[in-house]
Structures are given as structure tokens and as C-alpha cells.
Amino acid sequence: MASANISLTRNRKTSFAKKRARAGFYFVIPASIFVLVFFLYPFLNVIWMSFQDWPLLGERSWIGFENYRTAFQDIEFINSVKFTLLYTVIVTPLLFFTALGMALLIKGTSRTTKVFRTIFFLPVVIGFGPASYLWYWFVDSRVGPAPQFLRVLGFGDQEEQWLGIMPLALFVVIVMVVWKFAAFQMILLMAAIQGISKEILEAAEIDGAKGFTLLRTITLPLIKRTISLVLILSVAGSLLAFDQFYIITGGNPNGSTLTTVFNIYRQSFLQFQLGYGAALSVLVAIALMLISLIQLRVLRGDDHE
Amino acid sequence: MQKTNKIRVGTAAVLTVVLGVSSLIGLSSSANAAPVTINFWSRAAQADFIASVGAEFNKVNPNIQVKVTTIPDAEFVQKLSTASQSGSAPDVTSVDLILVPYFAKNGVFEDLTSYTNALSFKSKLSPAHMALGAYNKKQYALPFTAEASVLFWNKDLFKKAGLDPNKGPKTFAEIEAAAKAITALGGDYKGYYFSGACGGCNIFTFAPMMWASGGDILTAAGQPTYTDKNVAKALSFYNRLWSKGYVAKSAKTDNGASFAAPFAAGKTGMVGAGAFFVGSLKNNPEINYGVTPLPGATGGKGSFAGGDNIAILKGTKYPAEAKIFMDWALNAGQKFIATKAILPIRSDIAASDYVPQDPRYKVIADAMAYGKTPYSVAYTPLIADGQSPWVKMLATAIFDGKIAAAQAAAQKQALAIVKKQG
């Protein structure tokens, strides 16, 4: 009797699970088609292109791994990888801590915090291109308000273009990216922080945790998933940086701010080597997948949720 | 809600099909009556007047309607290349003359050799445009708009600095002396300006001074000669202007966004620019300026004979209509652009319709005649790319003062590019 009962429930469960699974399958079809057409097919295509000498116009020929061999000896490519890594290492923590700070400031629900939330979020709404142009002129030594401001404060004549001096050019882009993107991460983090149940926080406070201790031992561990999402988005986004450098620095001074993707664009459309550009894209894609995998592993770590 | 959306989408789809079919029927039943639309591309540098060119043609040719699309200069090569491969190319295009060898080599344009030979005014067409429009002894593109580079000098600033306002500088030394005197006025006054990070700008305004000094970066066959000692002369001249502070510091990173604009603000003594700049200076009537040939080290004169060619894309559905537009562009169209302060590409129309408008136009029309245009199928990788050997050489030589090293590095990079692009 009992055993029959059990088997009945199990049966019901399996058929229900099957139905659910089938429904799920139908639900993912549109997304899968999208991924197939707009990701998988182009990606396989790029891999196929990367084994060819494929000019922008003209005859193509199969050259095997030649493009990859070239890549590993190409100083320009190697330098662009180094620079992109440097940029990522600097911009990721800056973005994260700025966003976290802002999220903690505006997590409340009072009218003032709402106003600030909106103000902080405004730059996110501007497109990357317009925002980059905005900053290009913002720091221009002739007409830009930023150098003008320093002049008024008495910091020299500021005649030198900031974008013409190396660490400064990178610094300008980083400030722009933080200004533009921190609020996006802020919203994600804020939502996660607001999702922590009041009881936990109150219990912790009763136990005497407050301020930084509360943040470090209670808040941060509880929003670990969001933090890992934010960091993965941020690292992937930074490794693929293009628009901001294309518009603000043009890869200069003297090619020192040429990012990997910018270099791929150059090789493909200005040096007319689509095949070589494809090979570099494949390398970047592989590196990005590996880095994201490692990040997922590390950040998931001892997550028991 | 979702249902209504679905219904709407469905209705729209049905409507589209019905409309599509009916327009097909319309086309086949009255092929002659319905106006043919020709897609025509131009780079954004011509945005000021190109739409009016299309409108003017459409006014006089109701049966053929030209639809003008402007493409950002920096994206023109990739847009036209990819469009021609995917079958979405325009029927006719205006194309920076310097890019024609690349497109002609790769079979993007229709062969216009016999059409060209039948033109009664063939001898009046700009030789530079004709040369760049040819590839392997066939003509693939014809002249459309002309542009030549000259030196602009601010007469009021020359006077203020104690120089003869009516005499434009004729050597490097004279430019340097004038730049020094104007910079000495202090404040925001600077002697000279150029866009230091822009390959195209400098091939237009700097290369002519290099050519007038007897140097060049490419042979007639397109082989790189970046280490030429006369190239060094021109580089060290610019380096002196820069290091002595006669040039605004913004020049170093200027990717062409400012180009000649600082001159229009009235604080810059001299700048290299072209016919287009005479047009834009009409908005600054307070600037009292003259134009003179860009000089070489010890005299002589150089100019970049530029502008656009016009070409018909291979595979166009309307070759006959495209030729009608081309006919117009080479005749009435030339008179029309002359009214827009654009230098015509026919010497006869330039003399009758353009030069009489302004005495300075004569200097520019003359510059067109002695001007030169590099011929290379690898212009984009060699010169236009922001990291090209040309741009890198200018940056290292002019702003860092390492002239010989800059030339050697550029030569090496250029040789590799030429080897690849053939």
C-alpha cells in the first residue's frame, strides 16, 4: 500500500517534470535560435575566416595557422593585449568600489536618496559614443572646461593636451568610464543590498556589528552573487574596450592606448586584413572565455545558496 | 494584449506582402513612367553641398531621382567594400580620388574607358583626377570635385606683428620668422597650426611642403621612401615650429577634429587648408586673410591635388541612368558646384564660373594645376590609419624630435604593408 503510494507520487512527479522540461524546451527555442543565428554562426564563420588570408576586397586563400603564428610575433598585438590588461586591472576595482560606495549611500528610500540615485544614473543613459565625444572636448586644452577649471585654480596654463601625455590619456578614459558606468553597477548592487532581509541585519546589529564590520561580514557575503555578476560584466566589458579609446585617444599618444579590439578593427578595416583580424578575435574570445570561467569558479567558491 | 500585438504584426506582414507585390506590378507595367531611383554615396566631407547637388539634378531630371547618402570619411572604405560584396552597394559613388586605385584594383567599379574617350571635354578634365581614376590603363572613375591645398595667412596678425600683410611667406625660413613674430604677440596668439594626429590632413597640407622640398614618401610605383633626406628637411621644419612653441599644443592630439578651425578664431597666423576653407571662412568675415602656395624649404610650391572622383558601381541595375547622372555631374553639375564655392574639375568651367568669384580662388585653381596626388592601392593602411607609418613618423619626428628614428621605423612598417597589399 505504502509502496504503491510512493511509486504513484514518483510517477506523477516524473510526468510533471517531463512536462515542465518540455515546456522549458519550447521556451528556450526563440533564445536558442537567436544565439545560433547571431552568435554561433558568426563565431564559427570567424574561426573559418581566421585560417585564411582574407583581404577586405580581393582573392582569399587558405593559409592554415599562419595568422596565429603572425599574431604571437606581432609587437602591436602583444602591446595591445598588455595595455588592455592594464586598463582592466585598473578600471575594474575603481568601478566596483565607486559603485559600492554609491550603492551604500543611496540604498535608502527617502526622497533625497531617490534624487541622487537619478543623478548618479544619468550618465548611464547616454550612449558610449556621445559620452566619449563629450569627454574628448571636455578635456580639450583649447576649449575644454576641465583644463579651464584648473587654470582658474592656478594650476599652470594647462596648454598641453591631456590626451597627448600617456598616463594622463589613460586616466581621462578611466574617469570617463567610471563616470559613465559606475551607476549601472550601483543599481545592481543596491538592489541586492535592499534584498537582504531586515531580520539578519537587525540580528547582526544586536550582536554588535556595525559600520565596516557589518558591511564586511554580513552585507558583502550576502550579495556575493551580484558582486560576481558585476565583476564578470566589468572585466569582460573592459577587455573588449573599443569606443572610448577609438573616440577619445585614437590609440595615441604614439599607439600607447591601442586596445585589443581597437587593434582588431584596425587590422581588419584599415590594414585590410580581415583574416588576421578574425584570428585575433578568436584569440580574444578564447582568452575571455577562460578568464570568465576562472572568475566564475573563484567567485562561486564556497557559495552554498 | 499579446494577442492584439500578434494580430497587428500579422496584418502588417500581409500588408507588406500586398504592397510589395503591387509595387512590383507597378514597376513592370509602367517601367518608363515611374522615376528610377539611383543611390549615390558621398563622404561626409562633402556634406555641406552634396545634398544640394542631388536636389539640383532631381529638379532637372524628373525621371531619375538621385538619393544621396553621406558616409563618415573614416568609414568610407570599409562601408563601400562590404556593401559591394554584399550586393548593397550604391549605383554611383563620389569617392576620395586617392582611394580609387584600391577599389579599381579590386574590381568594384565599372570600366569607363570608352565612355571617357568619347567625352568632348576630356582634355579639360583635371589630370590628377584622371590619373588616380585609372588602373592598368583603364579608366574607372572620372573627376567630380576638386580641392587643392594652399597656405592661408592672417593679414591683420601679420600687420600687428610688424610683417608685410600683403606678402605671403615663400620659404620655410619665412614661415618660421612670421610664426615667431606672431607668437611673440603673446596671449593666445600662435604662429601656425596643423592637426598632428591626422594622416589625411597632413598628406593634404604637410606633404606638399615635403614635395616642394624635393622629398617624397612613395615612388611613382608606390614603393615607400620614408627615409628620404628631403622628407627629413620638412619634418625638422615642423619640429622647430612645434618645439619653439609657435604651434598651439592642441595640435599634437588633433585627429582632424579642429583642422583649420583655430585659424577662423583669429588668433592663428598661418594654416594649410584648401578651397573648402575659403567657403567656411565666409562665416568669419572679420578674418582678413590671403592665400599663397605652400612653399618648400628654399622656395618652390607644392599642393595636394585632391577632391573626389565619381564612379559607377559594378552590378548596378541602372547603368544607363547612372551615366545620365554622370553626364550631368561633368557638365551642368560643375557649374552648379562652382556656385557652392567648390572648385570644378574642368579647367574651362573653373576659369569661367569659379575663379572670377574671388581673387583667392585663382591661387587655388592654379595650385590644382601644379598639385600632386600619391598613387597607391594601399593609401588607407599606409597613410589614413591613425597608427599608419605616416602618422607615427609625424608624431615621433615632430613632437619627440627623433627624426631619423621616426623615418627608419616608418620605412620598415611601410615596407611590410606594401609587401602585403601588393
Side-chain angles (χ1 to χ4, degrees):
Chain A
M1 182 69 189
S3 71
N5 236 347
I6 286 168
S7 76
L8 192 68
T9 3
R10 195 179 289 153
N11 267 347
R12 213 182 279 152
K13 246 185 196 165
T14 26
S15 72
F16 179 66
K18 257 186 200 161
K19 255 188 205 158
R20 262 184 77 107
R22 204 177 306 140
F25 175 72
Y26 290 133
F27 277 124
V28 297
I29 284 183
S32 313
I33 292 175
F34 195 84
V35 168
L36 271 175
V37 175
F38 294 104
F39 176 73
L40 206 60
Y41 169 71
F43 188 62
L44 292 175
N45 210 356
V46 165
I47 294 177
W48 180 62
M49 281 174 78
S50 74
F51 292 110
Q52 301 182 57
D53 177 15
W54 187 312
L56 188 57
L57 287 172
E59 295 290 308
R60 296 151 198 179
S61 59
W62 193 267
I63 52 166
F65 282 93
E66 192 53 41
N67 282 329
Y68 292 94
R69 264 193 290 273
T70 312
F72 288 108
Q73 292 157 7
D74 181 353
I75 297 289
E76 239 164 20
F77 171 63
I78 293 165
N79 283 343
S80 76
V81 170
K82 279 186 197 159
F83 173 73
T84 309
L85 289 175
L86 172 76
Y87 166 73
T88 305
V89 166
I90 298 175
V91 87
T92 304
L94 263 180
L95 257 178
F96 176 73
F97 287 113
T98 313
L100 183 65
M102 279 157 54
L104 293 170
L105 282 176
I106 53 122
K107 65 175 192 254
T109 46
S110 79
R111 181 170 285 216
T112 343
T113 53
K114 274 182 188 160
V115 169
F116 273 102
R117 202 179 301 163
T118 313
I119 294 174
F120 287 158
F121 200 71
L122 274 178
V124 179
V125 190
I126 307 173
F128 226 135
S132 301
Y133 276 113
L134 196 69
W135 278 76
Y136 177 85
W137 290 110
F138 187 68
V139 299
D140 182 81
S141 69
R142 229 161 34 87
V143 297
Q148 178 60 25
F149 183 65
L150 290 193
R151 262 194 291 270
V152 171
L153 291 184
F155 287 97
D157 58 7
Q158 296 298 329
E159 219 193 303
E160 196 86 34
Q161 276 289 21
W162 295 0
L163 298 176
I165 310 166
M166 179 33 195
L168 210 48
L170 173 59
F171 176 75
V172 168
V173 174
I174 287 172
V175 171
M176 178 260 168
V177 168
V178 170
W179 167 81
K180 166 107 184 67
F181 258 128
F184 175 69
Q185 299 193 357
M186 167 195 84
I187 292 288
L188 294 178
L189 292 171
M190 186 198 74
I193 292 172
Q194 283 177 344
I196 299 173
S197 76
K198 287 258 155 44
E199 289 86 25
I200 298 180
L201 292 176
E202 275 162 16
E205 270 169 31
I206 289 168
D207 287 345
K210 56 186 167 194
F212 185 68
T213 322
L214 183 72
L215 175 71
R216 194 174 56 82
T217 56
I218 308 293
T219 313
L220 287 186
L222 284 175
I223 60 167
K224 201 167 176 186
R225 286 203 165 185
T226 309
I227 293 178
S228 96
L229 169 74
V230 159
L231 288 181
I232 287 172
L233 283 179
S234 164
V235 167
S238 309
L239 289 175
L240 295 176
F242 171 66
D243 325 37
Q244 59 269 48
F245 289 98
Y246 179 70
I247 293 169
I248 298 181
T249 69
N252 289 320
N254 239 332
S256 57
T257 61
L258 195 67
T259 63
T260 318
V261 177
F262 191 170
N263 191 44
I264 291 172
Y265 167 79
R266 269 191 63 230
Q267 294 296 349
S268 304
F269 296 112
L270 298 174
Q271 298 291 329
F272 301 156
Q273 307 181 78
L274 285 182
Y276 185 53
L280 298 185
S281 305
V282 170
L283 291 177
V284 170
I286 292 171
L288 205 58
M289 278 179 215
L290 287 178
I291 291 173
S292 298
L293 268 180
I294 295 169
Q295 265 189 303
L296 275 174
R297 275 280 161 77
V298 170
L299 291 166
R300 220 176 247 165
D302 43 60
D303 192 15
H304 295 302
E305 270 180 76
Chain B
M1 183 60 200
Q2 231 173 356
K3 219 174 210 172
T4 19
N5 268 347
K6 235 181 217 167
I7 291 169
R8 266 189 213 139
V9 171
T11 329
V14 170
L15 267 178
T16 321
V17 171
V18 171
L19 284 176
V21 169
S22 61
S23 69
L24 273 180
I25 295 166
L27 258 183
S28 54
S29 64
S30 56
N32 294 326
V36 166
T37 301
I38 293 184
N39 284 306
F40 175 59
W41 281 13
S42 162
R43 55 179 168 137
Q46 302 193 123
D48 283 348
F49 67 92
I50 200 70
S52 69
V53 169
E56 179 71 14
F57 175 82
N58 293 344
K59 210 166 66 192
V60 290
N61 292 278
N63 291 332
I64 305 170
Q65 293 297 297
V66 167
K67 191 175 159 252
V68 180
T69 307
T70 46
I71 310 286
D73 289 45
E75 290 163 25
F76 192 87
V77 174
Q78 68 196 68
K79 285 262 159 70
L80 191 64
S81 299
T82 44
S84 78
Q85 286 177 320
S86 63
S88 54
D91 302 290
V92 185
T93 189
S94 174
V95 50
D96 187 344
L97 83 170
I98 204 161
L99 298 173
V100 176
Y102 171 68
F103 288 118
K105 176 193 170 215
N106 289 298
V108 172
F109 297 149
E110 204 72 69
D111 180 0
L112 297 172
T113 314
S114 56
Y115 173 83
T116 310
N117 289 334
L119 293 173
S120 60
F121 47 84
K122 192 183 163 196
S123 63
K124 304 282 198 295
L125 292 169
S126 155
H129 287 72
M130 293 303 281
L132 269 289
Y135 182 78
N136 270 349
K137 302 205 167 97
K138 282 185 178 158
Q139 198 70 33
Y140 290 95
L142 287 166
F144 179 46
T145 59
E147 181 58 278
S149 48
V150 288
L151 182 70
F152 287 65
W153 88 93
N154 186 320
K155 292 185 173 178
D156 289 343
L157 288 189
F158 266 56
K159 201 170 168 190
K160 209 171 169 179
L163 303 156
D164 182 351
N166 293 314
K167 244 183 79 195
K170 294 201 160 42
T171 60
F172 285 178
E174 285 182 32
I175 293 184
E176 210 175 321
K180 185 180 179 185
I182 291 164
T183 309
L185 292 171
D188 293 341
Y189 291 107
K190 290 286 177 193
Y192 195 84
Y193 192 74
F194 59 91
S195 301
C198 169
C201 310
N202 284 299
I203 205 74
F204 188 59
T205 60
F206 173 71
M209 296 202 258
M210 189 176 83
W211 296 332
S213 311
D216 205 344
I217 52 163
L218 292 173
T219 64
Q223 286 304 310
T225 52
Y226 283 69
T227 45
D228 187 312
K229 67 177 193 309
N230 289 322
V231 171
K233 264 188 210 164
L235 287 172
S236 88
F237 163 59
Y238 258 39
N239 170 247
R240 285 198 302 279
L241 293 180
W242 169 259
S243 54
K244 289 181 178 169
Y246 305 159
V247 181
K249 288 274 166 50
S250 57
K252 186 177 172 184
T253 54
D254 189 346
N255 55 16
S258 297
F259 195 41
F263 185 84
K267 299 275 175 99
T268 303
M270 290 162 282
V271 76
F276 78 93
F277 197 48
V278 176
S280 56
L281 278 174
K282 287 195 200 301
N283 301 323
N284 305 76
E286 73 284 2
I287 305 286
N288 177 21
Y289 67 95
V291 298
T292 186
L294 288 160
T298 54
K301 50 194 178 180
S303 178
F304 180 94
D308 270 33
N309 271 341
I310 187 167
I312 297 175
L313 278 286
K314 216 174 247 178
T316 170
K317 272 183 262 165
Y318 307 111
E321 287 82 358
K323 285 210 175 107
I324 292 173
F325 177 55
M326 196 169 252
D327 278 335
W328 180 84
L330 293 169
N331 292 289
Q334 290 303 310
K335 292 189 183 253
F336 178 75
I337 61 166
T339 67
K340 300 278 166 189
I342 304 299
L343 174 54
I345 45 72
R346 275 174 60 176
S347 52
D348 52 342
I349 296 177
S352 65
D353 290 65
Y354 177 78
V355 170
Q357 292 179 45
D358 188 317
R360 288 171 290 218
Y361 282 175
K362 185 173 177 348
V363 182
I364 295 170
D366 289 348
M368 193 65 218
Y370 62 76
K372 155 175 182 162
T373 324
Y375 189 100
S376 168
V377 295
Y379 169 75
T380 306
L382 280 175
I383 288 160
D385 177 7
Q387 307 296 329
S388 68
W390 170 245
V391 177
K392 282 192 168 172
M393 175 176 79
L394 295 177
T396 318
I398 297 169
F399 304 118
D400 300 342
K402 298 172 194 152
I403 294 167
Q407 286 181 288
Q411 176 72 7
K412 199 176 149 209
Q413 197 189 344
L415 279 171
I417 290 171
V418 168
K419 198 175 149 204
K420 243 178 251 159
Q421 308 296 337

